[in-house]
Amino acid sequence: MLDNSVAYSRFRFIGQEFLTWLWYMIATNGTTDILDEDSKISVAIGDRMVLENRTSNDIEFITIKGNGADLREGVVALTKGALVAELSLEIIVDDQPWKFTLKGESLGMTNLKTPTTVRPESADDIEGAVLEKIHLFETVFHITEQFYYTFIKQRISNDWNNKTKTKIKNWIKTS
């Protein structure tokens, strides 16, 4: 059995490949194929992306920030071998927005902002407000898990190297 630190170092690229794949899926409108939901769901890149390039002896980080930021610099970094290390996402489900950042290294979710909820008017309403907030957290976790599950199914399939990687490389060349 691998030591945790060895396993972490050896497989940390999986999260970054996942975020790079997710960017590709969002950019090519492939996210609708992933989610089997009855709700109307849209996914977009948020206001921040961090790419990491470890192909040389040095580690290079490229950070792209700002609403409506031009992602061409990120595409250039991808052509040089970088992978997405952090990705801000905006998910809208039935006109309710969630904003958060996924970190490739740990698949941790940070800066999560859920749709606004009604403030409890009395002490009796607090339990309902807490349950509503928990439901909002579970919703975004479920969607993220579906994305990751679809990625892992593709990543371990025989089609990963022959089809999926080729499509991603073509997308990078044409972007």
Side-chain angles (χ1 to χ4, degrees), residues 14-15 17-18 21 107 145-158 160:
I14 291 289
E17 280 188 5
F18 165 62
W21 170 86
L107 295 179
E145 285 174 353
Q146 281 187 290
F147 284 144
Y148 191 69
Y149 176 73
T150 302
F151 165 74
I152 289 297
K153 277 192 342 187
Q154 285 186 21
R155 181 65 175 85
I156 64 174
S157 76
N158 294 332
W160 177 257

Side-chain angles (χ1 to χ4, degrees), residues 39-63:
S39 305
K40 181 183 174 203
I41 298 176
S42 68
V43 183
I45 302 297
D47 60 359
R48 185 169 187 272
M49 179 187 299
V50 177
L51 294 101
E52 180 179 326
N53 191 350
R54 288 185 173 260
T55 56
S56 62
N57 293 337
D58 296 331
I59 301 172
E60 178 184 25
F61 291 97
I62 298 94
T63 302

Side-chain angles (χ1 to χ4, degrees), residues 95-154:
D95 298 325
Q96 293 186 306
W98 282 262
K99 293 182 180 185
F100 59 96
T101 300
L102 271 178
K103 297 191 178 264
E105 189 171 66
S106 63
L107 295 179
M109 195 178 283
T110 61
N111 303 322
L112 176 59
K113 292 180 179 73
T114 63
T116 55
T117 57
V118 177
R119 283 198 122 155
E121 294 179 12
S122 68
D124 295 337
D125 296 337
I126 291 176
E127 181 180 353
V130 169
L131 291 174
E132 181 180 14
K133 204 63 157 173
I134 290 170
H135 172 72
L136 293 173
F137 286 135
E138 286 177 340
T139 299
V140 74
F141 293 152
H142 174 72
I143 291 170
T144 306
E145 285 174 353
Q146 281 187 290
F147 284 144
Y148 191 69
Y149 176 73
T150 302
F151 165 74
I152 289 297
K153 277 192 342 187
Q154 285 186 21

Side-chain angles (χ1 to χ4, degrees), residues 25 29-36 41 147:
M25 295 299 285
N29 271 337
T31 54
T32 55
D33 299 338
I34 297 172
L35 301 171
D36 298 329
I41 298 176
F147 284 144

Side-chain angles (χ1 to χ4, degrees), residues 154-155 157-170:
Q154 285 186 21
R155 181 65 175 85
S157 76
N158 294 332
D159 290 342
W160 177 257
N161 285 326
N162 299 332
K163 292 182 182 175
T164 308
K165 266 178 97 171
T166 303
K167 287 179 183 178
I168 293 172
K169 287 178 181 179
N170 289 337

